[in-house]
Amino acid sequence: MENKKVYIETLGCQMNKSDAERMYGMLEHIGYTQTENPKEADMLIINTCSIRQLSEDKAYSQIGVWGKWKGMTVNENGTRVYNPYPKIVFAGCVAQQAGEKLFRRAPYVDLVLGTQRLYELPNLVKRIENGERIVSVDEKPFEESDIQINRVKGINAWVPIMEGCNNFCTYCIVPYTRGRERSRKPELIMAEIKKALSEGFKEITLLGQNVDSYGKGVNETQNGFEISDTKEYGKDLAGNTINLSWLLRQINALEGKFRIRFVTNYPTDITDEVIDTVIELDKVCEYFHIPMQSGDDYVLKKMNRRYDYATYKKICDHIRSRIPDVTITSDFIAGFPGETEEQFENTLKAMTELELDYSNTAAYSPRERTVAAKWVDKYIPEDVKTDRLARLNEHNRACCLISNKKYLGREMEVLVENYEVRKNGDKVITGRTRNNKIVHIPCDRDLTGEFVNVRITNARTWYLNGELI
Ligand code: SF4
């Protein structure tokens, strides 16, 4: 088939969005072009997220719609068969969990693609084009061999450096859907970053469930580096030299003006070496995303998090004492099974006391296979969870405003990400400071991609206003 078109719908986190860019890149190599219109696509891919039930339901409902487009006929033997096009691919975290079962639930799906088989996609697509129906959810990663990425144009390039998690927090599905921690080969990461910079990207964000684990699963081989399956499998590469700090140094040494960020950090895995690196390297930004999840020690224990409130506070205080303008953001869950009102209030207190700059918040959503999902008798009623989430959000808003007000009158460097002419005729550029604050600035020229110096003139809950200086 000539001029084949693919449409990808991505749900969930930045890792999924990054996977979608990789899928586009690989499919381009085998003759597909991207379309924004699913109705004209020869192949429809849904890249699913299983972090919450709502997101999982959305994925099933979407393929239900696509299945109807595909239509069904009855062959001469009386068997129901679906038209061969469009091909439907069910990928991502829900696919990893559902596996073979998905074919029974959605007989019009052609390929179930697990998270660790992403790089097998071109081979599998050729086979489904020949009429096969395939489930590929093996937990052994299909190794990446080349840079095949078709990035969404922009300023910030997301670059995965590791994937998976060994922590098994009791509420979290990630270790089951993304597998154990694996680091990407440094040479692949560096080549990908060089390519992104040559394409005009000005900010590189290193991505991983636990970026501090980078390198802890990488072994040295005679020919360079190879990916290993678990932390235990190998020591840090080349006698502890390959780790997050090492990688940051390699990237910082690349020519040109650009910024480097990394997410996400597990609180107790942040080392002094990483903090030193952030201070020392000019391109690495003053920003840490450190999920806390709860401010109550008993709940943290039940969540299987490896720290208590005092330890988390010590980590924040330590980072702030060394990097004065650092932004620290976090994640919190409201209504974890068994959480009492008093325990929830400890989370509110923690958010305020730690002066967190921003937090992602969510009500607890039970995920099949996780430990906490089995504590059905301890589930918090929906109305209580909703109320707690609303109170958490209120605290979050207050913390954000306090944080933003600290920068009133300050001069800051902003990397411009966007230019718009508003309905009232105002012309505004929007960008971020090194410490990840959003700033709107009146400006009659499109300066997207440029670094500008700005004086902060106003602080709102979610953003700052500034003027060019
Ligand atoms: S650290 Fe915990 S919350 Fe984060 S991905 Fe791993 S299991 Fe999930």
Side-chain angles (χ1 to χ4, degrees):
M1 189 190 289
E2 294 296 315
N3 298 324
K4 294 174 289 186
K5 292 199 169 85
V6 59
Y7 171 84
I8 305 182
E9 173 126 359
T10 297
L11 306 171
C13 67
Q14 198 53 54
M15 189 66 96
N16 266 16
K17 289 178 191 147
S18 172
D19 284 350
E21 292 181 335
R22 267 145 240 280
M23 286 182 190
Y24 277 129
M26 287 185 274
L27 292 171
E28 217 170 47
H29 278 250
I30 57 166
Y32 279 85
T33 53
Q34 185 179 344
T35 175
E36 297 299 321
N37 178 4
K39 291 213 161 154
E40 65 169 26
D42 305 291
M43 183 158 59
L44 297 162
I45 301 180
I46 186 144
N47 198 8
T48 61
C49 165
S50 60
I51 209 85
R52 282 183 246 296
Q53 190 60 43
L54 202 66
S55 187
E56 196 168 320
D57 294 346
K58 200 170 163 192
Y60 284 120
S61 137
Q62 183 61 74
I63 53 163
V65 172
W66 290 351
K68 285 187 191 132
W69 295 355
K70 199 163 177 169
M72 188 191 71
T73 51
V74 178
N75 70 12
E76 62 276 12
N77 305 322
T79 311
R80 297 189 315 166
V81 286
Y82 284 87
N83 294 325
Y85 285 93
K87 296 293 178 194
I88 299 180
V89 178
F90 195 79
C93 293
V94 183
Q96 183 68 43
Q97 283 174 284
E100 190 80 39
K101 277 190 285 182
L102 194 92
F103 276 169
R104 289 194 288 282
R105 178 171 183 164
Y108 38 80
V109 167
D110 298 280
L111 170 62
V112 182
L113 182 70
T115 51
Q116 285 147 84
R117 310 301 292 176
L118 183 74
Y119 296 104
E120 199 186 3
L121 184 64
N123 299 342
L124 297 174
V125 165
K126 283 180 194 151
R127 286 171 56 196
I128 62 170
E129 282 174 344
N130 287 329
E132 276 188 69
R133 295 180 72 220
I134 306 164
V135 175
S136 181
V137 291
D138 196 328
E139 289 192 6
K140 185 167 172 21
F142 190 90
E143 203 176 321
E144 164 189 20
S145 58
D146 203 354
I147 306 301
Q148 294 172 323
I149 182 157
N150 185 353
R151 283 190 189 283
V152 175
K153 293 280 168 266
I155 299 304
N156 182 16
W158 296 83
V159 178
I161 60 168
M162 59 80 62
E163 190 183 8
C165 184
N166 297 350
N167 287 325
F168 288 92
C169 302
T170 54
Y171 53 84
C172 182
I173 194 71
V174 167
Y176 305 95
T177 57
R178 293 272 172 182
R180 297 299 81 71
E181 290 174 354
R182 304 173 304 283
S183 298
R184 282 181 80 205
K185 292 177 184 177
E187 66 266 33
L188 287 175
I189 296 170
M190 292 306 291
E192 185 174 331
I193 291 172
K194 284 179 193 164
K195 186 165 181 274
L197 294 174
S198 74
E199 288 168 354
F201 285 87
K202 292 287 166 59
E203 192 168 276
I204 302 295
T205 302
L206 308 179
L207 198 59
Q209 269 85 22
N210 297 301
V211 286
D212 310 278
S213 294
Y214 181 70
K216 289 180 184 162
V218 182
N219 284 335
E220 200 170 14
T221 69
Q222 280 184 333
N223 302 320
F225 309 113
E226 70 175 20
I227 297 174
S228 67
D229 283 346
T230 66
K231 260 187 194 178
E232 292 72 34
Y233 184 88
K235 298 271 185 254
D236 287 2
L237 182 60
N240 278 330
T241 56
I242 299 286
N243 56 22
L244 179 61
S245 297
W246 177 89
L247 187 63
L248 290 169
R249 284 181 204 287
Q250 310 305 305
I251 304 166
N252 196 77
L254 295 174
E255 276 185 20
K257 184 164 170 70
F258 64 95
R259 289 177 175 176
I260 309 167
R261 302 186 188 279
F262 51 84
V263 283
T264 298
N265 295 92
Y266 190 90
T268 46
D269 288 349
I270 301 169
T271 59
D272 266 332
E273 191 188 3
V274 167
I275 299 170
D276 289 344
T277 315
V278 174
I279 296 167
E280 183 194 320
L281 301 180
D282 59 325
K283 290 170 185 158
V284 180
C285 294
E286 297 75 20
Y287 172 68
F288 283 83
H289 181 66
I290 317 172
M292 188 186 194
Q293 308 298 3
S294 169
D296 182 83
D297 289 350
Y298 182 79
V299 175
L300 284 170
K301 212 170 194 150
K302 287 292 182 194
M303 288 177 162
N304 195 29
R305 302 288 286 179
R306 291 180 275 112
Y307 51 87
D308 56 13
Y309 173 65
T311 308
Y312 185 96
K313 182 173 184 312
K314 214 163 145 190
I315 294 162
C316 285
D317 290 348
H318 180 58
I319 295 173
R320 285 211 171 105
S321 72
R322 300 211 52 213
I323 314 173
D325 276 345
V326 70
T327 286
I328 299 180
T329 59
S330 193
D331 296 338
F332 287 97
I333 297 171
F336 183 75
E339 181 190 67
T340 63
E341 172 60 23
E342 197 186 343
Q343 288 163 348
F344 171 69
E345 281 172 14
N346 282 338
T347 295
L348 297 181
K349 267 189 239 155
M351 207 185 232
T352 308
E353 192 174 306
L354 295 170
E355 294 183 11
L356 292 167
D357 297 283
Y358 172 80
S359 299
N360 299 312
T361 60
Y364 171 75
S365 172
R367 307 286 59 221
E368 209 186 316
R369 292 177 74 187
T370 60
V371 173
K374 298 185 180 78
W375 302 334
V376 180
D377 58 326
K378 298 221 167 8
Y379 280 10
I380 304 297
E382 286 302 320
D383 59 333
V384 177
K385 279 202 288 188
T386 306
D387 171 67
R388 287 184 188 170
L389 181 59
R391 286 153 67 203
L392 200 53
N393 287 339
E394 208 176 295
H395 265 68
N396 189 22
R397 281 193 289 275
C399 288
C400 289
L401 187 58
I402 292 169
S403 162
N404 283 348
K405 280 186 172 168
K406 284 191 290 198
Y407 297 98
L408 269 175
R410 291 275 301 274
E411 288 181 14
M412 303 178 93
E413 183 198 71
V414 171
L415 169 56
V416 181
E417 295 177 0
N418 181 39
Y419 170 71
E420 65 170 325
V421 181
R422 294 186 173 158
K423 278 185 191 153
N424 63 2
D426 287 355
K427 294 171 181 163
V428 178
I429 52 173
T430 300
R432 280 171 202 267
T433 60
R434 285 178 60 96
N435 60 0
N436 217 26
K437 297 281 179 189
I438 295 170
V439 190
H440 298 302
I441 310 142
C443 180
D444 54 14
R445 279 176 305 142
D446 183 356
L447 299 179
T448 301
E450 291 190 29
F451 293 87
V452 294
N453 288 323
V454 166
R455 181 173 298 102
I456 303 304
T457 53
N458 191 17
R460 309 295 285 263
T461 302
W462 304 125
Y463 61 87
L464 301 167
N465 293 106
E467 58 188 17
L468 291 174
I469 49 175

